[in-house]
Amino acid sequence: MSFAKRLTRHPFPFDPTRGQDVAAQLTGLPAVLAPLVVGAAGCSPYLADLLRRESDWILAAFDDPEAAVATLMSEIPQVALDDLPLTLRTCKRRIALLTGLADLGGVWPLETVTQVLTDFADAAVQAAITTLVAAEVARGKLPAGGDPAEAGGMVVLAMGKMGAGELNYSSDIDLICLFDETRFDPENYHDVRAAFIRVTRKMTAILSDQREGGYVFRTDLRLRPDASVTPVCLSMEAAERYYESVGRTWERAAYIKARVCAGDQQAGARFLQTLRPFVWRKHLDFAAIQDAHDMRLKIRDHKGLHGPLVLEGHNIKLGRGGIREIEFFTQTRQLIAGGRDTSLRPRTTKDGLAQLAKAGWVPEDTAALLYGHYRYHREVEHRLQMINDAQTQTLPTDATGFARLAAFTGQDVAVLRADLAARIEEVHALTEGFFAPDAPAEPVTTDWGTDVVARWHSYPALRSERATKIFERLKPEIMARLHEAVKPDEALAQFDGFLAGLPAGVQLFSMFEANPQLTQLIVDICATAPALAQYLSRNASVLDAVIGGAFFAPWPGLASLTATLAQQLGRVDDYEGQLLTARRWAKEWHFRIGVHYLRGIINSDQAGICYADLAEAVVAGLWPAITAEFARKHGPMPGRGGAVVAMGSLGAARLTATSDLDLIMIYDAAGAESSDGHRPLPTRSYFARLTQALVTALSAPMAEGRLYEVDMRLRPSGRQGPVATALAAFQDYQQNEAWTWEHLAQTRARTVAGDAGLCAEIEEFRQQLLARKASGPTVLADVAEMRARIAAAKTSAAVWDAKIGPGRLQDIELFAQTVALRSGSAERDLPAQLQAGVVNGWLDAADARALEQAAGLFWKLQTAARFLTGADVDLDTLAEGAKRLILRETTCTTVDALKIRLHDAEQKAQNIIIHTLEPQ
């Protein structure tokens, strides 16, 4: 489509005479385009000169500007080295003229204008290095061979606005030049490096030197590693070592926009891939905020840009409320969260803000406002630069200059000034609070806690000067919140333990500073749940999840959890990385359950389901990774493979915060005697070692801790039996050899991972087994004997022990399993098992309700105890916050009232169990 059909605006001619003179020289200029040409030439001496020099070309380009650009770009790679400097300068004039007029006339949006400028820069750099490398090859300085477009292994990275496709009208280009040293004989390294250095210097001269026809692009190579002492082209290995050892936050931010613009694309992509861990940290990186703020202040100091807004001479890029503020705001938030969320890694400011809004890191209206102001600022910047092709972002300093700029934007001066001021101030308001948070709270004006606070400076988290400075800003608010706790001294003591356990502080304290709501959460945890506070000091990274918008969303359920973990594991190539990923993921979800429970969002019953869902998702999610790694060494699982069966509390889908996992492995090799792989194993050994691999994957301590302790004693023959059991052997054992307690265990068995057909067959056998064993003549006697042995082992149960003792949780669960077995019921959870006894006529309905209520009360106490301390509790010595949580969960008003309820429930349950188990 032609220019004329897309024209939406035009500037007013500041110098009408010059504008009209230029337009008169364009013979055949369509009348509809005359105001655009007159306005552009009348405001810009530079554009007026380009219109005179390129009149024939631009008149033809008006018919189809995109085709004109495409033709120009296609001709550049064909130009010989000797002709390249002049040809590129001619192309630059034409691109500058076309993009300038397309911008001024609204024919192209800002994004197209900047992309065309960037595409031309890419083409110019590619043409320069390929012809220069070819010349070095011809001279024998570089080895021949390979695709000429790969430039002999040289890679040019476009940084900054060029990397993002956002070049401004008179922008310089920021490049980092590298070469792939692995393509060359190490003995020739120095000669090769010297050749690429020559290529880089000659490329810079071709692009930057003022010659006949001007220049192409001012070229800046100072973003390379340690630019003051390194050559202009480095080996990739040297660059990698630099970033791994001394890379800084500003360099991480720079690589958000980095892109291979010329040379060996594949080698460049590999290099950028190696830098991902440097750029994108695996945890939320709130320390980047302070680093970015420091950079902002340094820029302002260097440019003298502090103070209130004065439009005259204001820098629209670096000054208050300018372009750089929006870019820093966007890039810093990308650095914070982009390591965890790959969707937050776009190069462009537009897409970066959009993705941050989509992920909930920036309000949608804020993102829209900021990008609207960004586009406006960039268009003003372009007009400032178009006047004389100057690399400037400074607003005029006098009335004449503002009159010219207003005419160039097609506005009245007063309207322009008001619009500029309003937008600049709004950008400042939207971004400043993010970088410079509000002043800290006033310190608590008492001597409370001074003896504890005095030792904090010796803790590992406060040994660095930076951590100490951040914490000093936080301390007044923390102390104020601790002082407001129900029992301030208890809360302070727990916070002291939390702080003492932190291995480092900068990242965590930066997170607190950027997210003040975390301070109250930490205080709540310290005032209520010592075990969670200790867990948090060892695993502070789980706080990352709190910042995400979905942290307080409803529980997603088992299927969603399993799919999410599988998706995350699928992004990791190596097995150890998958195990670490699973640990990080599970810790965050475990912490989330705890916080939801602490805050009363879920109750004890719901927490039990959540903890069980999480454990099952971990086992089911890791199983494919475990079997794939094992198959890599020993071949795929023979036959239908193995099935992981959950027993005990996991089988019943109800866990506490500290539960271990009762698991057994059943396999069906379908007659195969061994595996078929690189190192084949006999079938029995294969599944035994695979089971050990499962246990190791779940329980081995790693850098991210362990997932779960695993108990396999419920397998056939217990500790004496093999860790993995063949299906036929399992069926034979259960039917002919198993003890009553083993059949009771089967009432809660449930497959959680493995071949669907195998799992279904195991479940079918379980149901048949329970039906067959329901009438076993020794069941009641065996259970009575088991109760007696348990009672003898625990003769004096503590008052607050919810689990052990006659009539308490373990006793009621054992009885419910007995009911299920006697009824031949396949139900696994306690209420359903008791109800099966009612239906079967073996248990009175009132007794079933009483037992269910008693079990519910003891479960609430046990869930709270494990959450609060990781063990049993003594309410007489428990902290006030913890007591309140237990009373909330048990719906009791006082500790004495709870004690009476527990005693009554215990007695009633014990009487029902004894009466029912007595021989009829």
Side-chain angles (χ1 to χ4, degrees), residues 735-799:
Q735 292 179 108
N736 302 311
E737 299 181 44
W739 297 78
T740 296
W741 71 264
E742 293 176 291
H743 292 148
L744 292 174
Q746 286 299 311
T747 65
R748 300 205 289 183
R750 183 166 58 89
T751 56
V752 293
D755 175 79
L758 176 59
C759 289
E761 187 171 340
I762 292 170
E763 174 57 19
E764 182 181 4
F765 170 76
R766 184 186 80 92
Q767 294 182 19
Q768 294 171 351
L769 175 73
L770 295 176
R772 282 195 296 269
K773 299 296 181 180
S775 57
T778 65
V779 170
L780 296 185
D782 290 344
V783 172
E785 183 183 349
M786 290 169 61
R787 291 185 72 247
R789 285 203 307 269
I790 293 171
K794 291 279 186 178
T795 53
S796 57
V799 174

Side-chain angles (χ1 to χ4, degrees), residues 275-598:
L275 291 195
R276 281 192 178 180
F278 164 67
V279 180
W280 306 109
R281 304 293 166 83
K282 63 185 178 182
H283 299 303
L284 295 183
D285 184 16
F286 282 94
I289 297 176
Q290 185 64 48
D291 292 334
H293 185 48
D294 292 343
M295 283 189 280
R296 293 167 70 241
L297 295 180
K298 286 179 181 178
I299 291 170
R300 291 183 182 181
D301 290 340
H302 180 67
K303 300 289 185 179
L305 299 175
H306 291 286
L309 175 63
V310 176
L311 288 180
E312 282 73 16
H314 183 74
N315 192 305
I316 195 72
K317 176 183 178 182
L318 302 177
R320 174 189 182 98
I323 295 167
R324 184 57 56 83
E325 298 285 77
I326 301 171
E327 292 174 337
F328 269 17
F329 177 89
T330 306
Q331 291 169 21
T332 303
R333 286 186 177 272
Q334 287 179 277
L335 284 180
I336 289 170
R340 291 168 53 88
D341 185 349
T342 56
S343 72
L344 302 181
R345 301 179 185 180
R347 294 186 179 95
T348 69
T349 304
K350 178 183 181 180
D351 291 342
L353 282 169
Q355 289 301 122
L356 288 166
K358 184 177 179 181
W361 285 95
V362 178
E364 289 188 6
D365 57 343
T366 299
L369 281 170
L370 285 174
Y371 190 68
H373 295 325
Y374 178 81
R375 293 182 90 249
Y376 180 87
H377 285 5
R378 290 297 306 271
E379 290 187 349
V380 170
E381 175 190 42
H382 281 188
R383 281 142 188 77
L384 291 170
Q385 295 175 345
M386 285 180 195
I387 294 172
N388 287 306
D389 187 28
Q391 189 186 11
T392 181
Q393 291 89 18
T394 303
L395 293 176
T397 57
D398 56 26
T400 302
F402 264 101
R404 182 193 295 272
L405 181 60
F408 220 173
T409 59
Q411 299 180 82
D412 178 77
V413 173
V415 174
L416 172 65
R417 292 180 65 91
D419 205 7
L420 276 170
R423 289 174 180 274
I424 289 169
E425 291 294 5
E426 186 163 34
V427 169
H428 177 75
L430 290 171
T431 59
E432 187 68 15
F434 172 63
F435 292 108
D438 297 335
E442 291 296 321
V444 178
T445 56
T446 68
D447 292 334
W448 175 74
T450 53
D451 55 332
V452 176
V453 173
R455 59 176 177 258
W456 285 354
H457 69 89
S458 65
Y459 291 169
L462 289 163
R463 286 179 182 164
S464 76
E465 181 181 356
R466 183 174 181 185
T468 301
K469 285 182 178 179
I470 301 170
F471 188 74
E472 285 301 316
R473 297 196 295 267
L474 294 168
K475 190 164 68 174
E477 177 69 13
I478 292 173
M479 294 299 289
R481 295 289 180 92
L482 289 169
H483 199 254
E484 292 170 359
V486 176
K487 290 291 186 71
D489 291 341
E490 292 176 356
L492 178 61
Q494 291 300 330
F495 181 79
D496 178 58
F498 162 74
L499 193 62
L502 289 175
V506 170
Q507 286 288 353
L508 184 64
F509 299 156
S510 297
M511 181 187 289
F512 285 173
E513 190 167 42
N515 300 275
Q517 73 274 19
L518 290 182
T519 303
Q520 186 60 56
L521 177 59
I522 294 297
V523 170
D524 289 348
I525 291 172
C526 290
T528 306
L532 190 59
Q534 293 171 9
Y535 175 85
L536 194 55
S537 68
R538 297 190 303 270
N539 302 282
S541 63
V542 299
L543 285 168
D544 289 0
V546 183
I547 312 303
F551 185 80
F552 290 103
W555 185 247
L558 174 61
S560 177
L561 285 172
T562 306
T564 301
L565 177 57
Q567 185 179 45
Q568 293 209 15
L569 296 179
R571 299 192 190 113
V572 183
D573 295 330
D574 65 291
Y575 182 59
E576 182 177 354
Q578 290 176 323
L579 297 184
L580 291 170
T581 297
R583 281 157 169 74
R584 284 193 294 271
W585 180 86
K587 283 193 298 186
E588 290 186 1
W589 281 101
H590 195 278
F591 178 66
R592 171 175 163 164
I593 298 169
V595 172
H596 281 224
Y597 184 57
L598 174 71

Side-chain angles (χ1 to χ4, degrees), residues 495-730:
F495 181 79
D496 178 58
F498 162 74
L499 193 62
L502 289 175
V506 170
Q507 286 288 353
L508 184 64
F509 299 156
S510 297
M511 181 187 289
F512 285 173
E513 190 167 42
N515 300 275
Q517 73 274 19
L518 290 182
T519 303
Q520 186 60 56
L521 177 59
I522 294 297
V523 170
D524 289 348
I525 291 172
C526 290
T528 306
L532 190 59
Q534 293 171 9
Y535 175 85
L536 194 55
S537 68
R538 297 190 303 270
N539 302 282
S541 63
V542 299
L543 285 168
D544 289 0
V546 183
I547 312 303
F551 185 80
F552 290 103
W555 185 247
L558 174 61
S560 177
L561 285 172
T562 306
T564 301
L565 177 57
Q567 185 179 45
Q568 293 209 15
L569 296 179
R571 299 192 190 113
V572 183
D573 295 330
D574 65 291
Y575 182 59
E576 182 177 354
Q578 290 176 323
L579 297 184
L580 291 170
T581 297
R583 281 157 169 74
R584 284 193 294 271
W585 180 86
K587 283 193 298 186
E588 290 186 1
W589 281 101
H590 195 278
F591 178 66
R592 171 175 163 164
I593 298 169
V595 172
H596 281 224
Y597 184 57
L598 174 71
R599 290 284 174 87
I601 299 172
I602 57 175
N603 59 30
S604 297
D605 291 330
Q606 293 166 321
I609 294 170
C610 292
Y611 284 125
D613 280 353
L614 177 60
E616 184 172 346
V618 167
V619 175
L622 270 178
W623 179 244
I626 295 166
T627 56
E629 174 65 12
F630 202 78
R632 186 180 64 82
K633 301 174 183 176
H634 305 293
M637 291 186 288
R640 290 189 292 175
V644 183
V645 183
M647 310 292 287
S649 297
L650 180 58
R654 193 168 74 161
L655 299 179
T656 70
T658 59
S659 293
D660 58 9
L661 305 185
D662 293 303
L663 302 175
I664 65 173
M665 174 75 76
I666 300 174
Y667 66 88
D668 178 18
E673 296 184 357
S674 67
S675 64
D676 182 12
H678 177 62
R679 286 180 284 168
L681 292 171
T683 296
R684 185 170 179 175
S685 297
Y686 184 101
F687 285 104
R689 290 176 61 175
L690 177 61
T691 304
Q692 292 295 344
L694 169 66
V695 173
T696 299
L698 293 172
S699 61
M702 301 180 71
E704 296 286 349
R706 58 164 52 94
L707 285 163
Y708 294 97
E709 295 287 356
V710 176
D711 190 338
M712 303 199 75
R713 287 176 295 177
L714 292 180
R715 67 187 185 268
S717 300
R719 287 194 178 96
Q720 284 72 44
V723 292
T725 308
L727 176 61
F730 174 79

